[in-house]
Amino acid sequence: MSRITKEPGGPLIVPDNPTIPFITGDGVGKEITPSMMEIVNVAIRTAYGTKRQIVWKEALAGQNAFNQTDEWLPEATLEKFEKYLVGIKGPLTTPVGEGIRSINVTLRQKLDLYVCLRPIKWYLGIFTPLVAPEKVHMTVFRENTEDIYAGIEWEAGTPEAEKFMHFLRDEMGVTQVRFPKTSSFGVKPVSKEGTERLVRAACRYAIDHNRPSVTLVHKGNIMKYTEGGFKRWGYELAEREFAEELMSGKLVIKDCIADAFLQNTLLTPEDYSVIATLNLNGDYISDQLAAMVGGIGIAPGANINYETGHAIFEATHGTAPSLAGKNVADPCSLILSAVMMLEYMNWREASLLITRALERSFEDARATFDLARFMPCGRSLSTTEFTREIIERIEGRYKD
């Protein structure tokens, strides 16, 4: 089996038959993951004939893994993603009240996937609540390893919370905790190094893709040393490493306070292009922007370390247990995430075939129920019907 590799500071080296680990996922993952894989295989075969193919290698995580191994995230799964660099996953169940805090967060932390990349764009034919959704074209770089997602918390009433409160009061002179005996506490780490590598990736992306600006979104007016530090360190990084591009106008960097940004994206979305922000802000922002172009069901995502090359592409929605097994789930989020994966591998001919097939299907008002119900004269397709239609469009065999 061939592996994707990357030398320090060099490009991704992708063989013609790379091994790609995949996690099927829970709930609707059992339906949308096979759909995605079948579509990707057809697109690669149509674009490259027998020259290229993906060798899929299953990895276990979530409920399926727990049922088989008594572990939510087996070490063998981490080893596969570590070894093969690039992988993809369906939605996963996160255990409630037991086990690890979040499988997704654990994967990001263990592999240091410091960028959560969320491209947001509108597709003709998709219903949205906006009057002019075509103005929305943004790419969110969400910091993935720090902020509140570092998971540093102590529950109210525990010895740890009491000890932390004593430290704040006795050692740090903190007096602003209004109800100390019933307060839970969380720590929000934001580092200069974490900020710099995120903003660097956002700036490079903007330059490489001819995007007009990078906006640092923050709440630095209140959290002056964490969110404010993010803003300051982001500007300093851009001025230090991209001075020539800033001077020539090839790169524009600006900032916006998070609450104002959420309002502005509804009023003047055309003012924003590439977004760099911290973890919690990015969670809110990416979901709002997805809703503006049709919902999280067609929102792709990736978790990437641009330095090591490691990347996991993923469906951005949940397991949707109420839809599981009914052949109605929308595979578009995972399919578009696979498009991102192919672009990351520089297999752009295959990615373009999938994108065009999806666009034509949407233009013809043919989609799964979640999208078709809002389309004028929309035709609702099952998961398998939609998969077959996209494949026929890729192969040039589609006849309505």
Side-chain angles (χ1 to χ4, degrees):
M1 289 182 284
S2 298
R3 294 167 49 195
I4 296 173
T5 58
K6 186 179 186 301
E7 296 296 329
L12 209 65
I13 302 171
V14 182
D16 286 336
N17 57 339
T19 297
I20 301 292
F22 72 95
I23 296 171
T24 299
D26 300 317
V28 295
K30 296 177 183 178
E31 296 157 85
I32 66 172
T33 300
S35 167
M36 174 275 298
M37 293 168 65
E38 189 176 1
I39 288 169
V40 168
N41 288 341
V42 169
I44 292 171
R45 184 170 64 247
T46 303
Y48 309 115
T50 59
K51 180 183 177 183
R52 289 177 174 174
Q53 71 174 51
I54 286 176
V55 179
W56 300 100
K57 189 176 185 66
E58 186 167 17
L60 296 177
Q63 188 67 55
N64 188 33
F66 187 77
N67 292 343
Q68 296 186 44
T69 69
D70 288 331
E71 296 180 273
W72 292 98
L73 182 60
E75 188 64 31
T77 294
L78 287 168
E79 290 173 356
K80 286 176 184 175
F81 285 108
E82 174 73 34
K83 177 178 180 180
Y84 294 107
L85 256 65
V86 175
I88 193 166
K89 56 177 282 297
L92 292 173
T93 297
T94 292
V96 177
E98 60 176 321
I100 60 180
R101 294 172 60 92
S102 165
I103 298 169
N104 292 330
V105 171
T106 301
L107 282 167
R108 296 165 189 170
Q109 294 278 349
K110 292 285 187 180
L111 296 172
D112 196 24
L113 305 175
Y114 61 87
V115 169
C116 179
L117 185 64
R118 294 282 297 273
I120 312 291
K121 63 173 288 188
W122 179 67
Y123 293 93
L124 183 64
I126 298 295
F127 172 85
T128 88
L130 296 191
V131 173
E134 69 278 2
K135 293 182 179 180
V136 181
H137 187 195
M138 303 182 212
T139 304
V140 178
F141 279 72
R142 169 190 173 196
E143 205 290 319
N144 228 1
T145 62
E146 298 189 315
D147 197 9
I148 66 166
Y149 279 71
I152 306 170
E153 286 189 299
W154 298 280
E155 186 179 4
T158 62
E160 292 81 6
E162 183 178 0
K163 183 177 181 180
F164 187 71
M165 182 62 232
H166 282 306
F167 170 75
L168 290 178
R169 184 186 61 206
D170 301 337
E171 300 293 329
M172 302 301 292
V174 173
T175 60
Q176 301 98 310
V177 180
R178 181 158 295 181
F179 304 109
K181 291 186 178 180
T182 59
S183 290
S184 296
F185 297 96
V187 175
K188 175 189 175 80
V190 177
S191 70
K192 183 178 182 181
E193 292 90 343
T195 297
E196 287 185 342
R197 65 182 185 175
L198 180 85
V199 175
R200 179 182 297 115
C203 290
R204 286 177 177 166
Y205 181 94
I207 293 167
D208 292 344
H209 292 80
N210 296 313
R211 303 300 294 276
S213 66
V214 174
T215 303
L216 307 174
V217 179
H218 61 90
K219 193 65 179 170
N221 57 325
I222 302 299
M223 292 171 276
K224 299 184 184 299
Y225 305 120
T226 51
E227 305 255 348
F230 175 83
K231 170 190 170 183
R232 183 175 71 255
W233 296 324
Y235 272 118
E236 290 172 353
L237 179 282
E239 291 163 1
R240 184 174 68 248
E241 296 190 9
F242 299 95
E244 183 177 335
E245 290 84 355
L246 289 170
M247 184 70 68
S248 67
K250 190 173 184 180
L251 175 66
V252 173
I253 189 160
K254 54 187 178 178
D255 73 277
C256 189
I257 294 173
D259 48 342
F261 177 79
L262 292 172
Q263 175 183 232
N264 293 348
T265 54
L266 288 169
L267 297 173
T268 56
E270 65 273 17
D271 289 348
Y272 302 102
S273 179
V274 178
I275 313 303
T277 191
L278 289 167
N279 208 314
L280 183 60
N281 295 334
D283 200 4
Y284 300 147
I285 288 166
S286 56
D287 278 16
Q288 176 186 294
L289 295 180
M292 290 164 59
V293 296
I296 201 168
I298 57 167
N303 304 285
I304 302 174
N305 183 318
Y306 285 98
E307 295 158 15
T308 66
H310 287 94
I312 299 178
F313 299 82
E314 63 180 355
T316 57
H317 54 73
T319 59
S322 64
L323 302 180
K326 297 180 180 179
N327 196 25
V328 297
D330 185 352
C332 286
S333 175
L334 193 59
I335 293 169
L336 288 167
S337 297
V339 167
M340 291 177 66
M341 182 181 74
L342 292 170
E343 291 172 349
Y344 186 69
M345 294 162 55
N346 204 27
W347 288 14
R348 298 185 182 278
E349 296 85 356
S351 70
L352 190 58
L353 284 172
I354 299 173
T355 302
R356 286 177 175 169
L358 290 171
E359 289 174 341
R360 288 167 182 161
S361 183
F362 297 151
E363 288 173 17
D364 290 343
R366 297 172 66 83
T368 49
F369 172 75
D370 59 314
L371 300 177
R373 59 182 167 167
F374 297 119
M375 296 172 172
C377 302
R379 168 74 184 277
S380 181
L381 305 177
S382 69
T383 309
T384 51
E385 287 172 338
F386 182 73
T387 302
R388 181 51 46 194
E389 177 162 320
I390 298 305
I391 286 172
E392 290 177 356
R393 288 180 185 271
I394 290 171
E395 294 177 330
R397 299 187 294 109
Y398 176 72
K399 295 181 180 179
D400 193 356

